[in-house]
mmCIF file of all heavy atoms in Angstrom:
data_model
loop_
_atom_site.group_PDB
_atom_site.id
_atom_site.type_symbol
_atom_site.label_atom_id
_atom_site.label_comp_id
_atom_site.label_asym_id
_atom_site.label_seq_id
_atom_site.Cartn_x
_atom_site.Cartn_y
_atom_site.Cartn_z
ATOM 1 N N ALA A 106 -38.912 -5.794 68.138
ATOM 2 C CA ALA A 106 -39.459 -4.542 68.676
ATOM 3 C C ALA A 106 -40.658 -4.804 69.586
ATOM 4 O O ALA A 106 -40.814 -4.147 70.616
ATOM 5 C CB ALA A 106 -39.858 -3.619 67.534
ATOM 6 N N VAL A 107 -41.492 -5.783 69.225
ATOM 7 C CA VAL A 107 -42.647 -6.121 70.058
ATOM 8 C C VAL A 107 -42.186 -6.646 71.429
ATOM 9 O O VAL A 107 -42.713 -6.262 72.470
ATOM 10 C CB VAL A 107 -43.535 -7.165 69.350
ATOM 11 C CG1 VAL A 107 -44.663 -7.627 70.265
ATOM 12 C CG2 VAL A 107 -44.113 -6.587 68.068
ATOM 13 N N VAL A 108 -41.183 -7.492 71.435
ATOM 14 C CA VAL A 108 -40.643 -8.011 72.693
ATOM 15 C C VAL A 108 -40.049 -6.883 73.545
ATOM 16 O O VAL A 108 -40.225 -6.841 74.765
ATOM 17 C CB VAL A 108 -39.585 -9.092 72.397
ATOM 18 C CG1 VAL A 108 -38.881 -9.521 73.683
ATOM 19 C CG2 VAL A 108 -40.227 -10.300 71.736
ATOM 20 N N GLY A 109 -39.369 -5.947 72.884
ATOM 21 C CA GLY A 109 -38.824 -4.814 73.617
ATOM 22 C C GLY A 109 -39.897 -3.961 74.258
ATOM 23 O O GLY A 109 -39.752 -3.519 75.416
ATOM 24 N N LEU A 110 -41.004 -3.713 73.548
ATOM 25 C CA LEU A 110 -42.101 -2.942 74.109
ATOM 26 C C LEU A 110 -42.768 -3.691 75.257
ATOM 27 O O LEU A 110 -43.213 -3.082 76.245
ATOM 28 C CB LEU A 110 -43.120 -2.609 73.029
ATOM 29 C CG LEU A 110 -42.651 -1.610 71.961
ATOM 30 C CD1 LEU A 110 -43.725 -1.430 70.900
ATOM 31 C CD2 LEU A 110 -42.294 -0.259 72.584
ATOM 32 N N ARG A 111 -42.849 -5.014 75.161
ATOM 33 C CA ARG A 111 -43.449 -5.786 76.235
ATOM 34 C C ARG A 111 -42.591 -5.757 77.511
ATOM 35 O O ARG A 111 -43.105 -5.825 78.613
ATOM 36 C CB ARG A 111 -43.664 -7.233 75.784
ATOM 37 C CG ARG A 111 -44.707 -7.377 74.696
ATOM 38 C CD ARG A 111 -45.119 -8.824 74.539
ATOM 39 N NE ARG A 111 -45.798 -9.302 75.749
ATOM 40 C CZ ARG A 111 -46.162 -10.574 75.940
ATOM 41 N NH1 ARG A 111 -45.923 -11.478 74.999
ATOM 42 N NH2 ARG A 111 -46.766 -10.957 77.049
ATOM 43 N N ARG A 112 -41.279 -5.635 77.327
ATOM 44 C CA ARG A 112 -40.405 -5.495 78.510
ATOM 45 C C ARG A 112 -40.632 -4.194 79.227
ATOM 46 O O ARG A 112 -40.331 -4.091 80.423
ATOM 47 C CB ARG A 112 -38.948 -5.623 78.064
ATOM 48 C CG ARG A 112 -38.547 -7.011 77.607
ATOM 49 C CD ARG A 112 -37.122 -7.037 77.100
ATOM 50 N NE ARG A 112 -36.749 -8.370 76.643
ATOM 51 C CZ ARG A 112 -35.599 -8.631 76.013
ATOM 52 N NH1 ARG A 112 -34.709 -7.653 75.771
ATOM 53 N NH2 ARG A 112 -35.328 -9.872 75.615
ATOM 54 N N TRP A 113 -41.140 -3.194 78.512
ATOM 55 C CA TRP A 113 -41.462 -1.932 79.166
ATOM 56 C C TRP A 113 -42.816 -1.974 79.889
ATOM 57 O O TRP A 113 -43.227 -0.975 80.483
ATOM 58 C CB TRP A 113 -41.491 -0.804 78.136
ATOM 59 C CG TRP A 113 -40.145 -0.482 77.588
ATOM 60 C CD1 TRP A 113 -38.941 -0.987 77.990
ATOM 61 C CD2 TRP A 113 -39.841 0.425 76.516
ATOM 62 N NE1 TRP A 113 -37.922 -0.456 77.246
ATOM 63 C CE2 TRP A 113 -38.435 0.425 76.341
ATOM 64 C CE3 TRP A 113 -40.618 1.243 75.701
ATOM 65 C CZ2 TRP A 113 -37.805 1.187 75.388
ATOM 66 C CZ3 TRP A 113 -39.997 2.018 74.739
ATOM 67 C CH2 TRP A 113 -38.583 1.992 74.592
ATOM 68 N N GLY A 114 -43.503 -3.108 79.833
ATOM 69 C CA GLY A 114 -44.767 -3.254 80.539
ATOM 70 C C GLY A 114 -46.004 -3.181 79.686
ATOM 71 O O GLY A 114 -47.108 -3.267 80.227
ATOM 72 N N LEU A 115 -45.872 -3.010 78.370
ATOM 73 C CA LEU A 115 -47.042 -2.940 77.512
ATOM 74 C C LEU A 115 -47.588 -4.326 77.257
ATOM 75 O O LEU A 115 -46.823 -5.296 77.110
ATOM 76 C CB LEU A 115 -46.675 -2.285 76.169
ATOM 77 C CG LEU A 115 -46.743 -0.752 76.078
ATOM 78 C CD1 LEU A 115 -45.614 -0.136 76.891
ATOM 79 C CD2 LEU A 115 -46.639 -0.317 74.612
ATOM 80 N N PRO A 116 -48.929 -4.485 77.202
ATOM 81 C CA PRO A 116 -49.499 -5.780 76.795
ATOM 82 C C PRO A 116 -49.184 -6.049 75.322
ATOM 83 O O PRO A 116 -48.859 -5.131 74.551
ATOM 84 C CB PRO A 116 -50.998 -5.610 77.024
ATOM 85 C CG PRO A 116 -51.217 -4.132 77.026
ATOM 86 C CD PRO A 116 -49.964 -3.524 77.569
ATOM 87 N N ARG A 117 -49.315 -7.318 74.941
ATOM 88 C CA ARG A 117 -48.885 -7.698 73.593
ATOM 89 C C ARG A 117 -49.720 -6.984 72.530
ATOM 90 O O ARG A 117 -49.191 -6.539 71.518
ATOM 91 C CB ARG A 117 -48.958 -9.216 73.417
ATOM 92 C CG ARG A 117 -48.464 -9.643 72.034
ATOM 93 C CD ARG A 117 -48.262 -11.117 71.905
ATOM 94 N NE ARG A 117 -47.705 -11.421 70.588
ATOM 95 C CZ ARG A 117 -46.439 -11.349 70.248
ATOM 96 N NH1 ARG A 117 -45.552 -10.984 71.168
ATOM 97 N NH2 ARG A 117 -46.002 -11.624 69.040
ATOM 98 N N TRP A 118 -51.037 -6.873 72.757
ATOM 99 C CA TRP A 118 -51.868 -6.260 71.724
ATOM 100 C C TRP A 118 -51.477 -4.793 71.517
ATOM 101 O O TRP A 118 -51.456 -4.293 70.390
ATOM 102 C CB TRP A 118 -53.344 -6.362 72.104
ATOM 103 C CG TRP A 118 -53.736 -5.549 73.304
ATOM 104 C CD1 TRP A 118 -53.748 -5.954 74.598
ATOM 105 C CD2 TRP A 118 -54.168 -4.191 73.310
ATOM 106 N NE1 TRP A 118 -54.163 -4.945 75.438
ATOM 107 C CE2 TRP A 118 -54.438 -3.826 74.645
ATOM 108 C CE3 TRP A 118 -54.376 -3.223 72.310
ATOM 109 C CZ2 TRP A 118 -54.890 -2.561 75.011
ATOM 110 C CZ3 TRP A 118 -54.811 -1.960 72.669
ATOM 111 C CH2 TRP A 118 -55.078 -1.654 74.000
ATOM 112 N N LEU A 119 -51.133 -4.099 72.623
ATOM 113 C CA LEU A 119 -50.721 -2.708 72.491
ATOM 114 C C LEU A 119 -49.355 -2.582 71.837
ATOM 115 O O LEU A 119 -49.088 -1.662 71.028
ATOM 116 C CB LEU A 119 -50.719 -2.039 73.853
ATOM 117 C CG LEU A 119 -50.432 -0.533 73.894
ATOM 118 C CD1 LEU A 119 -51.404 0.232 73.009
ATOM 119 C CD2 LEU A 119 -50.471 -0.018 75.324
ATOM 120 N N ALA A 120 -48.441 -3.511 72.157
ATOM 121 C CA ALA A 120 -47.128 -3.500 71.525
ATOM 122 C C ALA A 120 -47.233 -3.747 70.016
ATOM 123 O O ALA A 120 -46.603 -3.055 69.221
ATOM 124 C CB ALA A 120 -46.222 -4.545 72.182
ATOM 125 N N VAL A 121 -48.049 -4.736 69.629
ATOM 126 C CA VAL A 121 -48.255 -5.014 68.204
ATOM 127 C C VAL A 121 -48.897 -3.813 67.518
ATOM 128 O O VAL A 121 -48.508 -3.432 66.395
ATOM 129 C CB VAL A 121 -49.121 -6.278 68.016
ATOM 130 C CG1 VAL A 121 -49.491 -6.469 66.559
ATOM 131 C CG2 VAL A 121 -48.360 -7.498 68.537
ATOM 132 N N THR A 122 -49.888 -3.183 68.158
ATOM 133 C CA THR A 122 -50.525 -1.997 67.567
ATOM 134 C C THR A 122 -49.545 -0.858 67.383
ATOM 135 O O THR A 122 -49.539 -0.167 66.353
ATOM 136 C CB THR A 122 -51.687 -1.566 68.462
ATOM 137 O OG1 THR A 122 -52.604 -2.652 68.641
ATOM 138 C CG2 THR A 122 -52.425 -0.374 67.850
ATOM 139 N N THR A 123 -48.661 -0.654 68.364
ATOM 140 C CA THR A 123 -47.666 0.421 68.262
ATOM 141 C C THR A 123 -46.709 0.171 67.118
ATOM 142 O O THR A 123 -46.415 1.095 66.317
ATOM 143 C CB THR A 123 -46.886 0.535 69.588
ATOM 144 O OG1 THR A 123 -47.813 0.738 70.668
ATOM 145 C CG2 THR A 123 -45.918 1.682 69.520
ATOM 146 N N VAL A 124 -46.218 -1.040 67.007
ATOM 147 C CA VAL A 124 -45.295 -1.361 65.898
ATOM 148 C C VAL A 124 -46.008 -1.240 64.551
ATOM 149 O O VAL A 124 -45.432 -0.719 63.578
ATOM 150 C CB VAL A 124 -44.705 -2.772 66.087
ATOM 151 C CG1 VAL A 124 -43.852 -3.159 64.896
ATOM 152 C CG2 VAL A 124 -43.878 -2.824 67.361
ATOM 153 N N ALA A 125 -47.252 -1.705 64.470
ATOM 154 C CA ALA A 125 -47.995 -1.622 63.226
ATOM 155 C C ALA A 125 -48.234 -0.171 62.816
ATOM 156 O O ALA A 125 -48.090 0.207 61.642
ATOM 157 C CB ALA A 125 -49.341 -2.339 63.360
ATOM 158 N N LEU A 126 -48.588 0.704 63.780
ATOM 159 C CA LEU A 126 -48.749 2.115 63.469
ATOM 160 C C LEU A 126 -47.437 2.748 63.009
ATOM 161 O O LEU A 126 -47.414 3.583 62.110
ATOM 162 C CB LEU A 126 -49.284 2.859 64.698
ATOM 163 C CG LEU A 126 -50.748 2.577 65.076
ATOM 164 C CD1 LEU A 126 -51.114 3.313 66.359
ATOM 165 C CD2 LEU A 126 -51.674 2.966 63.932
ATOM 166 N N GLY A 127 -46.341 2.302 63.611
ATOM 167 C CA GLY A 127 -45.033 2.801 63.166
ATOM 168 C C GLY A 127 -44.761 2.417 61.727
ATOM 169 O O GLY A 127 -44.223 3.230 60.935
ATOM 170 N N ILE A 128 -45.122 1.176 61.342
ATOM 171 C CA ILE A 128 -44.916 0.745 59.954
ATOM 172 C C ILE A 128 -45.762 1.572 58.994
ATOM 173 O O ILE A 128 -45.293 2.030 57.936
ATOM 174 C CB ILE A 128 -45.252 -0.747 59.815
ATOM 175 C CG1 ILE A 128 -44.296 -1.592 60.640
ATOM 176 C CG2 ILE A 128 -45.188 -1.184 58.365
ATOM 177 C CD1 ILE A 128 -44.689 -3.069 60.675
ATOM 178 N N VAL A 129 -47.021 1.798 59.373
ATOM 179 C CA VAL A 129 -47.918 2.579 58.490
ATOM 180 C C VAL A 129 -47.426 4.003 58.354
ATOM 181 O O VAL A 129 -47.432 4.573 57.251
ATOM 182 C CB VAL A 129 -49.355 2.541 59.069
ATOM 183 C CG1 VAL A 129 -50.276 3.468 58.300
ATOM 184 C CG2 VAL A 129 -49.915 1.128 59.033
ATOM 185 N N VAL A 130 -46.974 4.609 59.438
ATOM 186 C CA VAL A 130 -46.456 5.981 59.373
ATOM 187 C C VAL A 130 -45.209 6.059 58.510
ATOM 188 O O VAL A 130 -45.058 6.968 57.679
ATOM 189 C CB VAL A 130 -46.181 6.509 60.803
ATOM 190 C CG1 VAL A 130 -45.416 7.810 60.747
ATOM 191 C CG2 VAL A 130 -47.480 6.684 61.565
ATOM 192 N N MET A 131 -44.309 5.085 58.657
ATOM 193 C CA MET A 131 -43.100 5.082 57.831
ATOM 194 C C MET A 131 -43.431 4.901 56.363
ATOM 195 O O MET A 131 -42.874 5.584 55.492
ATOM 196 C CB MET A 131 -42.170 3.965 58.319
ATOM 197 C CG MET A 131 -40.842 3.924 57.590
ATOM 198 S SD MET A 131 -39.741 2.658 58.270
ATOM 199 C CE MET A 131 -40.650 1.184 57.882
ATOM 200 N N PHE A 132 -44.351 3.994 56.066
ATOM 201 C CA PHE A 132 -44.760 3.766 54.684
ATOM 202 C C PHE A 132 -45.425 5.016 54.095
ATOM 203 O O PHE A 132 -45.181 5.383 52.957
ATOM 204 C CB PHE A 132 -45.713 2.576 54.605
ATOM 205 C CG PHE A 132 -46.186 2.269 53.221
ATOM 206 C CD1 PHE A 132 -45.329 1.762 52.268
ATOM 207 C CD2 PHE A 132 -47.507 2.501 52.877
ATOM 208 C CE1 PHE A 132 -45.782 1.474 50.982
ATOM 209 C CE2 PHE A 132 -47.969 2.216 51.601
ATOM 210 C CZ PHE A 132 -47.092 1.702 50.658
ATOM 211 N N GLY A 133 -46.281 5.678 54.898
ATOM 212 C CA GLY A 133 -46.892 6.924 54.436
ATOM 213 C C GLY A 133 -45.863 8.020 54.188
ATOM 214 O O GLY A 133 -45.977 8.793 53.230
ATOM 215 N N GLY A 134 -44.845 8.089 55.037
ATOM 216 C CA GLY A 134 -43.796 9.074 54.830
ATOM 217 C C GLY A 134 -43.021 8.836 53.547
ATOM 218 O O GLY A 134 -42.662 9.780 52.833
ATOM 219 N N VAL A 135 -42.766 7.549 53.234
ATOM 220 C CA VAL A 135 -42.073 7.232 51.974
ATOM 221 C C VAL A 135 -42.919 7.668 50.778
ATOM 222 O O VAL A 135 -42.419 8.270 49.815
ATOM 223 C CB VAL A 135 -41.763 5.727 51.918
ATOM 224 C CG1 VAL A 135 -41.253 5.343 50.538
ATOM 225 C CG2 VAL A 135 -40.728 5.359 52.969
ATOM 226 N N LEU A 136 -44.226 7.387 50.833
ATOM 227 C CA LEU A 136 -45.104 7.796 49.720
ATOM 228 C C LEU A 136 -45.164 9.312 49.588
ATOM 229 O O LEU A 136 -45.105 9.855 48.463
ATOM 230 C CB LEU A 136 -46.509 7.227 49.944
ATOM 231 C CG LEU A 136 -46.657 5.719 49.832
ATOM 232 C CD1 LEU A 136 -48.118 5.312 50.049
ATOM 233 C CD2 LEU A 136 -46.176 5.202 48.473
ATOM 234 N N LEU A 137 -45.278 10.025 50.723
ATOM 235 C CA LEU A 137 -45.334 11.470 50.652
ATOM 236 C C LEU A 137 -44.017 12.077 50.147
ATOM 237 O O LEU A 137 -44.006 13.161 49.575
ATOM 238 C CB LEU A 137 -45.645 12.038 52.046
ATOM 239 C CG LEU A 137 -47.073 11.800 52.560
ATOM 240 C CD1 LEU A 137 -47.224 12.330 53.975
ATOM 241 C CD2 LEU A 137 -48.094 12.425 51.615
ATOM 242 N N ALA A 138 -42.915 11.359 50.356
ATOM 243 C CA ALA A 138 -41.639 11.854 49.878
ATOM 244 C C ALA A 138 -41.427 11.597 48.391
ATOM 245 O O ALA A 138 -40.777 12.399 47.707
ATOM 246 C CB ALA A 138 -40.486 11.209 50.678
ATOM 247 N N LEU A 139 -41.987 10.485 47.874
ATOM 248 C CA LEU A 139 -41.699 10.107 46.483
ATOM 249 C C LEU A 139 -42.775 10.561 45.502
ATOM 250 O O LEU A 139 -42.446 10.914 44.359
ATOM 251 C CB LEU A 139 -41.545 8.577 46.395
ATOM 252 C CG LEU A 139 -40.365 7.976 47.161
ATOM 253 C CD1 LEU A 139 -40.352 6.472 46.993
ATOM 254 C CD2 LEU A 139 -39.051 8.585 46.698
ATOM 255 N N ILE A 140 -44.043 10.543 45.890
ATOM 256 C CA ILE A 140 -45.112 10.827 44.929
ATOM 257 C C ILE A 140 -45.128 12.288 44.460
ATOM 258 O O ILE A 140 -45.197 12.543 43.246
ATOM 259 C CB ILE A 140 -46.473 10.413 45.508
ATOM 260 C CG1 ILE A 140 -46.545 8.896 45.617
ATOM 261 C CG2 ILE A 140 -47.617 10.939 44.668
ATOM 262 C CD1 ILE A 140 -47.833 8.373 46.186
ATOM 263 N N PRO A 141 -45.051 13.302 45.357
ATOM 264 C CA PRO A 141 -45.090 14.688 44.838
ATOM 265 C C PRO A 141 -43.975 15.014 43.845
ATOM 266 O O PRO A 141 -44.254 15.610 42.810
ATOM 267 C CB PRO A 141 -44.997 15.534 46.125
ATOM 268 C CG PRO A 141 -45.558 14.645 47.189
ATOM 269 C CD PRO A 141 -45.115 13.277 46.826
ATOM 270 N N PRO A 142 -42.700 14.659 44.113
ATOM 271 C CA PRO A 142 -41.681 14.942 43.084
ATOM 272 C C PRO A 142 -41.956 14.213 41.772
ATOM 273 O O PRO A 142 -41.720 14.771 40.699
ATOM 274 C CB PRO A 142 -40.383 14.463 43.736
ATOM 275 C CG PRO A 142 -40.654 14.479 45.198
ATOM 276 C CD PRO A 142 -42.087 14.131 45.329
ATOM 277 N N LEU A 143 -42.444 12.971 41.865
ATOM 278 C CA LEU A 143 -42.719 12.227 40.628
ATOM 279 C C LEU A 143 -43.816 12.900 39.824
ATOM 280 O O LEU A 143 -43.696 13.057 38.598
ATOM 281 C CB LEU A 143 -43.122 10.788 41.005
ATOM 282 C CG LEU A 143 -43.429 9.859 39.836
ATOM 283 C CD1 LEU A 143 -42.210 9.679 38.944
ATOM 284 C CD2 LEU A 143 -43.917 8.504 40.345
ATOM 285 N N VAL A 144 -44.881 13.328 40.487
ATOM 286 C CA VAL A 144 -45.977 13.994 39.792
ATOM 287 C C VAL A 144 -45.513 15.322 39.209
ATOM 288 O O VAL A 144 -45.823 15.682 38.052
ATOM 289 C CB VAL A 144 -47.177 14.188 40.734
ATOM 290 C CG1 VAL A 144 -48.266 15.027 40.069
ATOM 291 C CG2 VAL A 144 -47.731 12.843 41.170
ATOM 292 N N THR A 145 -44.730 16.067 39.989
ATOM 293 C CA THR A 145 -44.258 17.377 39.522
ATOM 294 C C THR A 145 -43.335 17.236 38.314
ATOM 295 O O THR A 145 -43.480 17.967 37.313
ATOM 296 C CB THR A 145 -43.525 18.099 40.661
ATOM 297 O OG1 THR A 145 -44.419 18.216 41.779
ATOM 298 C CG2 THR A 145 -43.074 19.473 40.222
ATOM 299 N N GLN A 146 -42.401 16.307 38.391
ATOM 300 C CA GLN A 146 -41.476 16.120 37.274
ATOM 301 C C GLN A 146 -42.192 15.623 36.036
ATOM 302 O O GLN A 146 -41.868 16.013 34.901
ATOM 303 C CB GLN A 146 -40.364 15.153 37.693
ATOM 304 C CG GLN A 146 -39.446 15.665 38.785
ATOM 305 C CD GLN A 146 -38.658 16.877 38.333
ATOM 306 O OE1 GLN A 146 -38.300 17.018 37.174
ATOM 307 N NE2 GLN A 146 -38.408 17.778 39.271
ATOM 308 N N THR A 147 -43.181 14.751 36.216
ATOM 309 C CA THR A 147 -43.911 14.247 35.052
ATOM 310 C C THR A 147 -44.699 15.345 34.384
ATOM 311 O O THR A 147 -44.704 15.474 33.135
ATOM 312 C CB THR A 147 -44.856 13.112 35.507
ATOM 313 O OG1 THR A 147 -44.091 12.095 36.137
ATOM 314 C CG2 THR A 147 -45.600 12.521 34.302
ATOM 315 N N SER A 148 -45.407 16.169 35.169
ATOM 316 C CA SER A 148 -46.159 17.278 34.573
ATOM 317 C C SER A 148 -45.257 18.288 33.899
ATOM 318 O O SER A 148 -45.558 18.830 32.834
ATOM 319 C CB SER A 148 -47.013 17.968 35.640
ATOM 320 O OG SER A 148 -46.172 18.509 36.668
ATOM 321 N N THR A 149 -44.085 18.557 34.505
ATOM 322 C CA THR A 149 -43.137 19.470 33.897
ATOM 323 C C THR A 149 -42.623 18.931 32.561
ATOM 324 O O THR A 149 -42.478 19.668 31.579
ATOM 325 C CB THR A 149 -41.954 19.716 34.839
ATOM 326 O OG1 THR A 149 -42.459 20.227 36.082
ATOM 327 C CG2 THR A 149 -40.957 20.725 34.257
#
């Protein structure tokens, strides 16, 4: 993915930052999807 972004003209540091932010956002989405149901079901 970093190589693909560099082909679009982005410098390497910006390509790495973009991919890293994508990983963090995806990981945060997984936590937001799993933690609330787990807490709700446990309290119930």
Side-chain angles (χ1 to χ4, degrees):
V107 175
V108 173
L110 291 177
R111 293 195 65 186
R112 290 176 181 172
W113 291 354
L115 273 70
R117 183 169 184 83
W118 68 269
L119 185 57
V121 172
T122 304
T123 304
V124 175
L126 289 177
I128 296 173
V129 173
V130 170
M131 184 176 65
F132 180 69
V135 171
L136 292 181
L137 290 177
L139 295 180
I140 290 180
L143 181 61
V144 173
T145 303
Q146 294 296 328
T147 303
S148 61
T149 303

